[in-house]
Amino acid sequence: MNDDTTHHIFFDDNIHNIEDDAIVAVRQRRTRKDRFRALSGEETLDLQGVHLVRVPTVEPILNDNWFYEQIQRCERNLAVKKEKSKPVSYTHLTLPTI
């Protein structure tokens, strides 16, 4: 996951929104030198809409742009996630005592 040049998105029709009931087994590594580790159900849920997309059977058939729209949504969600994880600098203010 240490590659900012590629946004990996996995599309599957059997991704569940229940952390202990999923057919998708996601593995992750922080750097190329690290070993892959299996993610928990909770960690997998956190990737939905960013790196995992459940494909409803009919939607892509009825909407020619469905996959393109999902990619755009994942890119927006990734940008929000990155923004939220940036450290925030702040100044500690001390109020005068009265």
Side-chain angles (χ1 to χ4, degrees):
M1 295 293 200
N2 199 15
D3 179 4
D4 288 337
T5 63
T6 305
H7 180 179
H8 300 279
I9 303 172
F10 181 79
F11 291 89
D12 189 73
D13 66 341
N14 206 2
I15 296 173
H16 298 219
N17 289 323
I18 305 168
E19 70 180 56
D20 61 350
D21 180 26
I23 196 168
V24 176
V26 179
R27 295 179 311 132
Q28 178 184 50
R29 65 182 178 185
R30 294 287 174 206
T31 69
R32 291 177 188 250
K33 294 180 181 181
D34 292 339
R35 295 183 66 122
F36 282 98
R37 71 171 187 87
L39 298 183
S40 70
E42 184 178 335
E43 290 171 309
T44 300
L45 281 177
D46 190 44
L47 296 177
Q48 289 194 31
V50 178
H51 295 288
L52 298 175
V53 176
R54 184 179 182 286
V55 181
T57 307
V58 178
E59 286 298 316
I61 295 169
L62 298 176
N63 179 357
D64 291 339
N65 293 318
W66 189 87
F67 283 100
Y68 178 69
E69 291 167 359
Q70 298 310 305
I71 291 168
Q72 288 181 317
R73 182 176 66 94
C74 287
E75 289 174 344
R76 285 190 306 270
N77 290 344
L78 179 62
V80 168
K81 194 172 190 172
K82 284 182 177 181
E83 188 64 33
K84 286 182 179 179
S85 68
K86 285 183 182 178
V88 178
S89 63
Y90 66 94
T91 302
H92 180 73
L93 300 175
T94 304
L95 298 175
T97 55
I98 300 177

